[in-house]
Amino acid sequence: MVSKETVNKVMKNIDRRNVTDVRIYPSIVAFVLALYAVVAVYTLYFMDSGFTEYEKLLQTLGVVVVGMGILLALMNVLASRTYKHNKKDVSLFDSLIELSTEIYKEKGIDGGQYITKMKDRDIDNKGQRTIYLIFLIAVVPAIIATVLMVFDITNPVTVTAATVLFVMSLVICAFVLFINIRYPRKHEKAFIKFTDAFCEGMKECGITVRGYEPVIGVRSTPLMLFLTLITLGMFFIVWVYLSLRDMNRHLDQQWNFENSLVDVLSVIN
């Protein structure tokens, strides 16, 4: 007999999706990044300002600070979303393994092979936790730079040091962004591996659960990097757009799987 406690565990993890599965509008993010890129290039290379060297340095610092702020905000959303989504899926998978074990026992079916496949999953939250910590580290140089500016913004040496520190934050954020834009495809592969084993096992028990349909295409990372380099970073905006769209599609498909699961649980319960 499937225990009510186990069913409630699964339902509780599914209900968490309203908090963890945040959808981001890729067109808005791409527009903001593209607008910033245009303004930054114009300000740094085409604006005839007649500024002194120190004023030009301040102008450069302003452009870097704004860019870091935009990237930092984006990184906060992406890093926290992937971390929370991964954490929710890990907990959901654990509860589904427990549920499957009880159903196999009730039906008198040897579902060991399916349990083994489900346990051999590629989703854990250690990697995402590390990525999120790296993101938090990116804030440190920015904080130090801000303190330097507050104490002495009139000194060119201080402004130069602050600019270097802000650029360090930008580089770390860009690294985290690179990892996160590759996350949807990697996560989907692991999710398919688990749900296929789960649905096959349920089918053996006479229970039909609608599986997960792949929605994320395969993209060559070297090609994406090459296009980013030859376009001086502009293609990176397209890459970010595609990644955000991929994650939204994954969430939609995952919800379809979970909704089918809820229908099954309502009968079991």
Short mmCIF file of all heavy atoms in Angstrom, two decimals, residues 134-200:
data_model
loop_
_atom_site.label_atom_id
_atom_site.label_comp_id
_atom_site.label_asym_id
_atom_site.label_seq_id
_atom_site.Cartn_x
_atom_site.Cartn_y
_atom_site.Cartn_z
N ILE A 134 30.43 31.19 -6.38
CA ILE A 134 31.32 31.95 -7.26
C ILE A 134 30.68 33.28 -7.63
O ILE A 134 31.34 34.33 -7.67
CB ILE A 134 31.64 31.16 -8.54
CG1 ILE A 134 32.48 29.92 -8.19
CG2 ILE A 134 32.40 32.02 -9.54
CD1 ILE A 134 32.72 28.99 -9.36
N PHE A 135 29.37 33.24 -7.88
CA PHE A 135 28.66 34.48 -8.19
C PHE A 135 28.75 35.46 -7.02
O PHE A 135 28.97 36.66 -7.21
CB PHE A 135 27.20 34.18 -8.51
CG PHE A 135 26.28 35.36 -8.34
CD1 PHE A 135 26.31 36.41 -9.24
CD2 PHE A 135 25.40 35.43 -7.27
CE1 PHE A 135 25.48 37.51 -9.08
CE2 PHE A 135 24.57 36.51 -7.10
CZ PHE A 135 24.62 37.55 -8.01
N LEU A 136 28.59 34.95 -5.81
CA LEU A 136 28.66 35.82 -4.63
C LEU A 136 30.06 36.41 -4.48
O LEU A 136 30.22 37.57 -4.05
CB LEU A 136 28.28 35.04 -3.37
CG LEU A 136 26.82 34.57 -3.29
CD1 LEU A 136 26.59 33.76 -2.02
CD2 LEU A 136 25.86 35.75 -3.34
N ILE A 137 31.08 35.64 -4.85
CA ILE A 137 32.46 36.13 -4.79
C ILE A 137 32.65 37.30 -5.74
O ILE A 137 33.43 38.22 -5.48
CB ILE A 137 33.44 34.99 -5.14
CG1 ILE A 137 33.43 33.93 -4.02
CG2 ILE A 137 34.86 35.52 -5.34
CD1 ILE A 137 34.23 32.68 -4.35
N ALA A 138 31.90 37.30 -6.85
CA ALA A 138 32.01 38.38 -7.83
C ALA A 138 31.63 39.73 -7.24
O ALA A 138 32.05 40.78 -7.74
CB ALA A 138 31.12 38.07 -9.04
N VAL A 139 30.84 39.70 -6.19
CA VAL A 139 30.40 40.95 -5.57
C VAL A 139 31.53 41.62 -4.79
O VAL A 139 31.57 42.84 -4.64
CB VAL A 139 29.19 40.69 -4.64
CG1 VAL A 139 28.70 41.98 -4.00
CG2 VAL A 139 28.07 40.01 -5.41
N VAL A 140 32.49 40.81 -4.30
CA VAL A 140 33.54 41.32 -3.43
C VAL A 140 34.38 42.42 -4.08
O VAL A 140 34.55 43.50 -3.50
CB VAL A 140 34.45 40.17 -2.93
CG1 VAL A 140 35.61 40.72 -2.09
CG2 VAL A 140 33.62 39.18 -2.10
N PRO A 141 34.95 42.20 -5.30
CA PRO A 141 35.72 43.29 -5.93
C PRO A 141 34.88 44.54 -6.15
O PRO A 141 35.39 45.67 -6.01
CB PRO A 141 36.15 42.68 -7.27
CG PRO A 141 36.10 41.22 -7.07
CD PRO A 141 34.96 40.98 -6.15
N ALA A 142 33.61 44.37 -6.46
CA ALA A 142 32.73 45.53 -6.68
C ALA A 142 32.53 46.31 -5.39
O ALA A 142 32.50 47.56 -5.40
CB ALA A 142 31.38 45.07 -7.23
N ILE A 143 32.40 45.61 -4.28
CA ILE A 143 32.24 46.28 -2.98
C ILE A 143 33.49 47.06 -2.62
O ILE A 143 33.42 48.23 -2.18
CB ILE A 143 31.91 45.25 -1.88
CG1 ILE A 143 30.54 44.64 -2.13
CG2 ILE A 143 31.96 45.91 -0.50
CD1 ILE A 143 30.19 43.52 -1.16
N ILE A 144 34.66 46.44 -2.83
CA ILE A 144 35.93 47.13 -2.54
C ILE A 144 36.09 48.36 -3.41
O ILE A 144 36.49 49.43 -2.94
CB ILE A 144 37.12 46.16 -2.76
CG1 ILE A 144 37.03 44.98 -1.79
CG2 ILE A 144 38.44 46.90 -2.58
CD1 ILE A 144 38.08 43.91 -2.04
N ALA A 145 35.73 48.22 -4.69
CA ALA A 145 35.83 49.35 -5.61
C ALA A 145 34.90 50.49 -5.18
O ALA A 145 35.27 51.68 -5.24
CB ALA A 145 35.48 48.91 -7.03
N THR A 146 33.71 50.15 -4.74
CA THR A 146 32.75 51.16 -4.28
C THR A 146 33.29 51.90 -3.07
O THR A 146 33.17 53.14 -2.97
CB THR A 146 31.41 50.51 -3.93
OG1 THR A 146 30.92 49.80 -5.07
CG2 THR A 146 30.39 51.55 -3.50
N VAL A 147 33.90 51.17 -2.15
CA VAL A 147 34.49 51.80 -0.96
C VAL A 147 35.61 52.76 -1.35
O VAL A 147 35.70 53.88 -0.83
CB VAL A 147 35.03 50.72 0.01
CG1 VAL A 147 35.82 51.37 1.16
CG2 VAL A 147 33.89 49.89 0.57
N LEU A 148 36.46 52.35 -2.29
CA LEU A 148 37.53 53.21 -2.76
C LEU A 148 36.99 54.50 -3.36
O LEU A 148 37.51 55.61 -3.10
CB LEU A 148 38.39 52.48 -3.81
CG LEU A 148 39.29 51.35 -3.31
CD1 LEU A 148 39.98 50.68 -4.49
CD2 LEU A 148 40.33 51.88 -2.33
N MET A 149 35.93 54.39 -4.14
CA MET A 149 35.34 55.56 -4.78
C MET A 149 34.73 56.51 -3.75
O MET A 149 34.81 57.73 -3.89
CB MET A 149 34.27 55.12 -5.78
CG MET A 149 34.83 54.42 -7.01
SD MET A 149 33.53 53.66 -8.02
CE MET A 149 32.50 55.08 -8.38
N VAL A 150 34.13 55.95 -2.72
CA VAL A 150 33.52 56.78 -1.68
C VAL A 150 34.58 57.59 -0.93
O VAL A 150 34.38 58.77 -0.63
CB VAL A 150 32.72 55.91 -0.68
CG1 VAL A 150 32.30 56.72 0.54
CG2 VAL A 150 31.49 55.33 -1.37
N PHE A 151 35.73 56.95 -0.69
CA PHE A 151 36.78 57.61 0.08
C PHE A 151 37.55 58.64 -0.73
O PHE A 151 37.96 59.68 -0.20
CB PHE A 151 37.75 56.58 0.67
CG PHE A 151 37.27 55.98 1.95
CD1 PHE A 151 36.62 54.76 1.97
CD2 PHE A 151 37.45 56.66 3.16
CE1 PHE A 151 36.17 54.22 3.16
CE2 PHE A 151 37.00 56.12 4.35
CZ PHE A 151 36.35 54.90 4.36
N ASP A 152 37.78 58.36 -2.03
CA ASP A 152 38.58 59.32 -2.81
C ASP A 152 38.31 59.15 -4.30
O ASP A 152 39.06 58.48 -5.01
CB ASP A 152 40.07 59.11 -2.51
CG ASP A 152 40.93 60.21 -3.09
OD1 ASP A 152 40.36 61.17 -3.64
OD2 ASP A 152 42.16 60.11 -3.00
N ILE A 153 37.27 59.79 -4.78
CA ILE A 153 36.91 59.71 -6.18
C ILE A 153 37.71 60.69 -7.03
O ILE A 153 37.72 60.62 -8.26
CB ILE A 153 35.39 59.98 -6.37
CG1 ILE A 153 34.95 59.63 -7.81
CG2 ILE A 153 35.08 61.44 -6.05
CD1 ILE A 153 35.07 58.21 -8.17
N THR A 154 38.43 61.63 -6.39
CA THR A 154 39.16 62.68 -7.11
C THR A 154 40.56 62.23 -7.53
O THR A 154 41.22 62.92 -8.31
CB THR A 154 39.30 63.94 -6.24
OG1 THR A 154 40.03 63.62 -5.04
CG2 THR A 154 37.93 64.49 -5.85
N ASN A 155 41.01 61.11 -7.04
CA ASN A 155 42.36 60.63 -7.33
C ASN A 155 42.32 59.68 -8.53
O ASN A 155 41.64 58.65 -8.48
CB ASN A 155 42.92 59.90 -6.11
CG ASN A 155 44.40 59.58 -6.26
OD1 ASN A 155 44.90 59.41 -7.37
ND2 ASN A 155 45.10 59.49 -5.14
N PRO A 156 43.05 60.01 -9.61
CA PRO A 156 43.05 59.13 -10.79
C PRO A 156 43.50 57.70 -10.48
O PRO A 156 43.01 56.75 -11.09
CB PRO A 156 44.05 59.82 -11.73
CG PRO A 156 44.03 61.26 -11.31
CD PRO A 156 43.83 61.23 -9.83
N VAL A 157 44.43 57.55 -9.54
CA VAL A 157 44.90 56.21 -9.17
C VAL A 157 43.75 55.41 -8.55
O VAL A 157 43.55 54.22 -8.85
CB VAL A 157 46.08 56.29 -8.17
CG1 VAL A 157 46.48 54.89 -7.71
CG2 VAL A 157 47.27 57.00 -8.80
N THR A 158 42.97 56.07 -7.70
CA THR A 158 41.82 55.42 -7.07
C THR A 158 40.79 55.00 -8.12
O THR A 158 40.24 53.90 -8.07
CB THR A 158 41.17 56.35 -6.04
OG1 THR A 158 42.13 56.71 -5.06
CG2 THR A 158 39.98 55.68 -5.37
N VAL A 159 40.54 55.91 -9.06
CA VAL A 159 39.56 55.62 -10.11
C VAL A 159 40.04 54.45 -10.98
O VAL A 159 39.25 53.57 -11.34
CB VAL A 159 39.33 56.88 -10.99
CG1 VAL A 159 38.41 56.55 -12.15
CG2 VAL A 159 38.74 58.01 -10.16
N THR A 160 41.33 54.42 -11.29
CA THR A 160 41.89 53.32 -12.08
C THR A 160 41.76 51.99 -11.33
O THR A 160 41.35 50.97 -11.91
CB THR A 160 43.37 53.57 -12.40
OG1 THR A 160 43.49 54.81 -13.12
CG2 THR A 160 43.95 52.44 -13.23
N ALA A 161 42.09 52.01 -10.04
CA ALA A 161 41.99 50.80 -9.23
C ALA A 161 40.54 50.32 -9.14
O ALA A 161 40.26 49.11 -9.23
CB ALA A 161 42.54 51.07 -7.83
N ALA A 162 39.61 51.27 -8.98
CA ALA A 162 38.20 50.92 -8.91
C ALA A 162 37.72 50.30 -10.22
O ALA A 162 36.95 49.33 -10.23
CB ALA A 162 37.36 52.14 -8.57
N THR A 163 38.19 50.88 -11.33
CA THR A 163 37.81 50.35 -12.64
C THR A 163 38.29 48.91 -12.81
O THR A 163 37.56 48.04 -13.29
CB THR A 163 38.41 51.22 -13.77
OG1 THR A 163 37.97 52.58 -13.61
CG2 THR A 163 37.98 50.71 -15.13
N VAL A 164 39.53 48.65 -12.41
CA VAL A 164 40.10 47.29 -12.50
C VAL A 164 39.28 46.32 -11.66
O VAL A 164 38.97 45.20 -12.10
CB VAL A 164 41.57 47.29 -12.04
CG1 VAL A 164 42.09 45.85 -11.93
CG2 VAL A 164 42.44 48.09 -13.00
N LEU A 165 38.90 46.74 -10.46
CA LEU A 165 38.12 45.87 -9.57
C LEU A 165 36.73 45.58 -10.14
O LEU A 165 36.23 44.45 -10.08
CB LEU A 165 38.00 46.51 -8.18
CG LEU A 165 39.29 46.50 -7.35
CD1 LEU A 165 39.16 47.41 -6.13
CD2 LEU A 165 39.64 45.08 -6.91
N PHE A 166 36.11 46.61 -10.70
CA PHE A 166 34.79 46.41 -11.33
C PHE A 166 34.90 45.47 -12.53
O PHE A 166 34.00 44.64 -12.76
CB PHE A 166 34.19 47.75 -11.75
CG PHE A 166 33.52 48.50 -10.64
CD1 PHE A 166 33.89 49.80 -10.34
CD2 PHE A 166 32.52 47.91 -9.88
CE1 PHE A 166 33.28 50.50 -9.31
CE2 PHE A 166 31.89 48.60 -8.85
CZ PHE A 166 32.28 49.90 -8.56
N VAL A 167 35.98 45.60 -13.29
CA VAL A 167 36.19 44.70 -14.43
C VAL A 167 36.37 43.27 -13.94
O VAL A 167 35.87 42.32 -14.57
CB VAL A 167 37.42 45.14 -15.25
CG1 VAL A 167 37.79 44.07 -16.28
CG2 VAL A 167 37.13 46.46 -15.97
N MET A 168 37.03 43.09 -12.81
CA MET A 168 37.17 41.75 -12.23
C MET A 168 35.80 41.15 -11.93
O MET A 168 35.55 39.98 -12.21
CB MET A 168 38.00 41.82 -10.94
CG MET A 168 39.49 42.04 -11.16
SD MET A 168 40.40 42.22 -9.59
CE MET A 168 40.03 40.64 -8.80
N SER A 169 34.91 41.97 -11.38
CA SER A 169 33.55 41.50 -11.10
C SER A 169 32.84 41.13 -12.39
O SER A 169 32.13 40.11 -12.47
CB SER A 169 32.75 42.58 -10.37
OG SER A 169 33.15 42.70 -9.03
N LEU A 170 33.06 41.94 -13.43
CA LEU A 170 32.44 41.66 -14.72
C LEU A 170 32.92 40.32 -15.29
O LEU A 170 32.13 39.54 -15.81
CB LEU A 170 32.78 42.79 -15.71
CG LEU A 170 31.86 44.00 -15.72
CD1 LEU A 170 32.45 45.09 -16.60
CD2 LEU A 170 30.47 43.63 -16.19
N VAL A 171 34.22 40.07 -15.18
CA VAL A 171 34.80 38.83 -15.72
C VAL A 171 34.23 37.61 -14.99
O VAL A 171 33.86 36.61 -15.61
CB VAL A 171 36.34 38.86 -15.60
CG1 VAL A 171 36.92 37.49 -15.94
CG2 VAL A 171 36.92 39.92 -16.51
N ILE A 172 34.15 37.70 -13.66
CA ILE A 172 33.61 36.58 -12.88
C ILE A 172 32.14 36.35 -13.23
O ILE A 172 31.69 35.22 -13.39
CB ILE A 172 33.76 36.84 -11.37
CG1 ILE A 172 35.24 36.95 -11.00
CG2 ILE A 172 33.11 35.71 -10.56
CD1 ILE A 172 35.48 37.36 -9.56
N CYS A 173 31.38 37.45 -13.36
CA CYS A 173 29.96 37.35 -13.74
C CYS A 173 29.82 36.72 -15.12
O CYS A 173 28.92 35.90 -15.35
CB CYS A 173 29.31 38.73 -13.72
SG CYS A 173 28.90 39.34 -12.07
N ALA A 174 30.70 37.12 -16.04
CA ALA A 174 30.64 36.56 -17.40
C ALA A 174 30.91 35.06 -17.37
O ALA A 174 30.29 34.29 -18.12
CB ALA A 174 31.66 37.26 -18.29
N PHE A 175 31.83 34.63 -16.50
CA PHE A 175 32.12 33.21 -16.35
C PHE A 175 30.90 32.45 -15.84
O PHE A 175 30.54 31.39 -16.36
CB PHE A 175 33.30 33.02 -15.39
CG PHE A 175 33.56 31.59 -15.01
CD1 PHE A 175 34.10 30.70 -15.93
CD2 PHE A 175 33.26 31.13 -13.74
CE1 PHE A 175 34.32 29.37 -15.59
CE2 PHE A 175 33.48 29.80 -13.38
CZ PHE A 175 34.02 28.93 -14.31
N VAL A 176 30.25 33.01 -14.83
CA VAL A 176 29.04 32.38 -14.28
C VAL A 176 27.94 32.36 -15.33
O VAL A 176 27.19 31.38 -15.46
CB VAL A 176 28.56 33.12 -13.01
CG1 VAL A 176 27.27 32.50 -12.48
CG2 VAL A 176 29.63 33.07 -11.93
N LEU A 177 27.82 33.45 -16.10
CA LEU A 177 26.82 33.51 -17.16
C LEU A 177 27.07 32.42 -18.20
O LEU A 177 26.14 31.75 -18.65
CB LEU A 177 26.83 34.88 -17.82
CG LEU A 177 25.87 35.10 -19.00
CD1 LEU A 177 24.43 34.85 -18.56
CD2 LEU A 177 26.02 36.50 -19.56
N PHE A 178 28.33 32.23 -18.56
CA PHE A 178 28.69 31.21 -19.54
C PHE A 178 28.25 29.82 -19.06
O PHE A 178 27.71 29.02 -19.83
CB PHE A 178 30.20 31.22 -19.79
CG PHE A 178 30.70 30.06 -20.60
CD1 PHE A 178 30.43 29.98 -21.96
CD2 PHE A 178 31.43 29.04 -20.01
CE1 PHE A 178 30.88 28.90 -22.72
CE2 PHE A 178 31.88 27.96 -20.75
CZ PHE A 178 31.61 27.89 -22.11
N ILE A 179 28.47 29.54 -17.78
CA ILE A 179 28.07 28.25 -17.21
C ILE A 179 26.55 28.11 -17.22
O ILE A 179 26.00 27.07 -17.57
CB ILE A 179 28.62 28.09 -15.79
CG1 ILE A 179 30.15 28.03 -15.81
CG2 ILE A 179 28.05 26.83 -15.12
CD1 ILE A 179 30.78 27.98 -14.45
N ASN A 180 25.87 29.19 -16.86
CA ASN A 180 24.41 29.13 -16.73
C ASN A 180 23.69 29.04 -18.07
O ASN A 180 22.62 28.44 -18.15
CB ASN A 180 23.90 30.34 -15.95
CG ASN A 180 23.92 30.10 -14.45
OD1 ASN A 180 23.05 29.46 -13.89
ND2 ASN A 180 24.95 30.61 -13.79
N ILE A 181 24.27 29.62 -19.11
CA ILE A 181 23.58 29.54 -20.40
C ILE A 181 23.71 28.13 -20.99
O ILE A 181 22.97 27.78 -21.92
CB ILE A 181 24.11 30.58 -21.41
CG1 ILE A 181 25.60 30.38 -21.70
CG2 ILE A 181 23.82 31.98 -20.93
CD1 ILE A 181 26.15 31.38 -22.71
N ARG A 182 24.63 27.32 -20.47
CA ARG A 182 24.75 25.93 -20.90
C ARG A 182 23.95 24.99 -20.00
O ARG A 182 23.85 23.79 -20.26
CB ARG A 182 26.23 25.51 -20.92
CG ARG A 182 27.08 26.32 -21.88
CD ARG A 182 28.55 25.96 -21.79
NE ARG A 182 28.79 24.62 -22.30
CZ ARG A 182 29.40 23.66 -21.60
NH1 ARG A 182 29.82 23.89 -20.38
NH2 ARG A 182 29.60 22.47 -22.14
N TYR A 183 23.38 25.54 -18.94
CA TYR A 183 22.67 24.73 -17.95
C TYR A 183 21.42 24.05 -18.49
O TYR A 183 21.21 22.85 -18.21
CB TYR A 183 22.32 25.60 -16.74
CG TYR A 183 21.37 24.96 -15.76
CD1 TYR A 183 21.83 24.06 -14.80
CD2 TYR A 183 20.00 25.25 -15.79
CE1 TYR A 183 20.97 23.47 -13.90
CE2 TYR A 183 19.13 24.67 -14.89
CZ TYR A 183 19.61 23.78 -13.94
OH TYR A 183 18.74 23.19 -13.06
N PRO A 184 20.53 24.74 -19.24
CA PRO A 184 19.26 24.11 -19.65
C PRO A 184 19.44 22.78 -20.38
O PRO A 184 18.75 21.80 -20.08
CB PRO A 184 18.61 25.17 -20.55
CG PRO A 184 19.16 26.46 -20.05
CD PRO A 184 20.58 26.15 -19.67
N ARG A 185 20.36 22.74 -21.35
CA ARG A 185 20.58 21.52 -22.13
C ARG A 185 21.09 20.38 -21.24
O ARG A 185 20.60 19.24 -21.31
CB ARG A 185 21.58 21.80 -23.27
CG ARG A 185 22.05 20.56 -24.03
CD ARG A 185 20.93 19.86 -24.74
NE ARG A 185 21.42 18.68 -25.45
CZ ARG A 185 20.63 17.75 -25.97
NH1 ARG A 185 19.33 17.88 -25.90
NH2 ARG A 185 21.15 16.71 -26.59
N LYS A 186 22.06 20.69 -20.40
CA LYS A 186 22.63 19.68 -19.50
C LYS A 186 21.56 19.16 -18.53
O LYS A 186 21.46 17.96 -18.28
CB LYS A 186 23.80 20.29 -18.73
CG LYS A 186 24.44 19.33 -17.74
CD LYS A 186 25.57 20.02 -16.99
CE LYS A 186 26.18 19.07 -15.95
NZ LYS A 186 27.26 19.74 -15.16
N HIS A 187 20.76 20.07 -18.02
CA HIS A 187 19.73 19.69 -17.05
C HIS A 187 18.65 18.84 -17.72
O HIS A 187 18.18 17.87 -17.13
CB HIS A 187 19.11 20.94 -16.44
CG HIS A 187 18.09 20.65 -15.38
ND1 HIS A 187 18.44 20.30 -14.09
CD2 HIS A 187 16.73 20.64 -15.41
CE1 HIS A 187 17.35 20.10 -13.38
NE2 HIS A 187 16.30 20.30 -14.15
N GLU A 188 18.27 19.21 -18.93
CA GLU A 188 17.23 18.46 -19.63
C GLU A 188 17.68 17.02 -19.89
O GLU A 188 16.89 16.08 -19.72
CB GLU A 188 16.87 19.13 -20.96
CG GLU A 188 15.70 18.42 -21.64
CD GLU A 188 15.41 18.96 -23.03
OE1 GLU A 188 16.28 18.82 -23.92
OE2 GLU A 188 14.31 19.50 -23.23
N LYS A 189 18.92 16.82 -20.27
CA LYS A 189 19.42 15.48 -20.53
C LYS A 189 19.30 14.61 -19.28
O LYS A 189 18.88 13.45 -19.35
CB LYS A 189 20.89 15.54 -20.98
CG LYS A 189 21.09 16.06 -22.39
CD LYS A 189 22.56 16.21 -22.73
CE LYS A 189 23.27 14.88 -22.73
NZ LYS A 189 24.70 15.01 -23.10
N ALA A 190 19.66 15.19 -18.14
CA ALA A 190 19.57 14.44 -16.88
C ALA A 190 18.11 14.19 -16.50
O ALA A 190 17.77 13.11 -16.00
CB ALA A 190 20.28 15.22 -15.77
N PHE A 191 17.26 15.17 -16.77
CA PHE A 191 15.84 15.04 -16.44
C PHE A 191 15.19 13.95 -17.28
O PHE A 191 14.39 13.15 -16.77
CB PHE A 191 15.13 16.37 -16.66
CG PHE A 191 13.78 16.46 -16.00
CD1 PHE A 191 13.66 16.87 -14.69
CD2 PHE A 191 12.63 16.11 -16.69
CE1 PHE A 191 12.41 16.95 -14.07
CE2 PHE A 191 11.38 16.17 -16.08
CZ PHE A 191 11.27 16.59 -14.78
N ILE A 192 15.53 13.89 -18.56
CA ILE A 192 14.98 12.86 -19.45
C ILE A 192 15.41 11.47 -19.00
O ILE A 192 14.61 10.53 -18.99
CB ILE A 192 15.44 13.12 -20.91
CG1 ILE A 192 14.79 14.38 -21.46
CG2 ILE A 192 15.13 11.92 -21.80
CD1 ILE A 192 15.33 14.81 -22.81
N LYS A 193 16.67 11.35 -18.62
CA LYS A 193 17.20 10.07 -18.17
C LYS A 193 16.41 9.53 -16.97
O LYS A 193 16.07 8.36 -16.91
CB LYS A 193 18.68 10.24 -17.79
CG LYS A 193 19.37 8.96 -17.35
CD LYS A 193 20.82 9.24 -17.04
CE LYS A 193 21.54 7.97 -16.58
NZ LYS A 193 22.97 8.24 -16.25
N PHE A 194 16.10 10.43 -16.04
CA PHE A 194 15.38 10.02 -14.84
C PHE A 194 13.92 9.71 -15.16
O PHE A 194 13.40 8.66 -14.79
CB PHE A 194 15.45 11.12 -13.78
CG PHE A 194 14.72 10.77 -12.50
CD1 PHE A 194 15.39 10.17 -11.45
CD2 PHE A 194 13.36 11.05 -12.36
CE1 PHE A 194 14.72 9.83 -10.28
CE2 PHE A 194 12.68 10.71 -11.20
CZ PHE A 194 13.37 10.10 -10.15
N THR A 195 13.25 10.63 -15.84
CA THR A 195 11.81 10.46 -16.08
C THR A 195 11.50 9.28 -17.01
O THR A 195 10.46 8.64 -16.86
CB THR A 195 11.19 11.75 -16.66
OG1 THR A 195 11.92 12.16 -17.84
CG2 THR A 195 11.24 12.87 -15.63
N ASP A 196 12.39 8.99 -17.96
CA ASP A 196 12.19 7.82 -18.82
C ASP A 196 12.17 6.54 -17.99
O ASP A 196 11.32 5.67 -18.18
CB ASP A 196 13.29 7.73 -19.88
CG ASP A 196 13.07 8.68 -21.04
OD1 ASP A 196 12.00 9.33 -21.07
OD2 ASP A 196 13.95 8.79 -21.92
N ALA A 197 13.12 6.45 -17.05
CA ALA A 197 13.18 5.27 -16.18
C ALA A 197 11.94 5.20 -15.29
O ALA A 197 11.36 4.12 -15.09
CB ALA A 197 14.45 5.30 -15.32
N PHE A 198 11.51 6.34 -14.79
CA PHE A 198 10.33 6.38 -13.91
C PHE A 198 9.08 5.96 -14.67
O PHE A 198 8.30 5.13 -14.20
CB PHE A 198 10.15 7.78 -13.34
CG PHE A 198 8.89 7.96 -12.55
CD1 PHE A 198 8.78 7.48 -11.25
CD2 PHE A 198 7.78 8.61 -13.11
CE1 PHE A 198 7.60 7.63 -10.52
CE2 PHE A 198 6.61 8.77 -12.40
CZ PHE A 198 6.52 8.28 -11.09
N CYS A 199 8.88 6.52 -15.87
CA CYS A 199 7.68 6.21 -16.66
C CYS A 199 7.66 4.76 -17.13
O CYS A 199 6.60 4.13 -17.16
CB CYS A 199 7.59 7.16 -17.86
SG CYS A 199 7.26 8.89 -17.43
N GLU A 200 8.83 4.23 -17.48
CA GLU A 200 8.91 2.82 -17.89
C GLU A 200 8.52 1.91 -16.72
O GLU A 200 7.80 0.92 -16.89
CB GLU A 200 10.32 2.49 -18.36
CG GLU A 200 10.68 3.09 -19.71
CD GLU A 200 12.15 2.90 -20.05
OE1 GLU A 200 12.82 2.12 -19.32
OE2 GLU A 200 12.63 3.51 -21.02
#
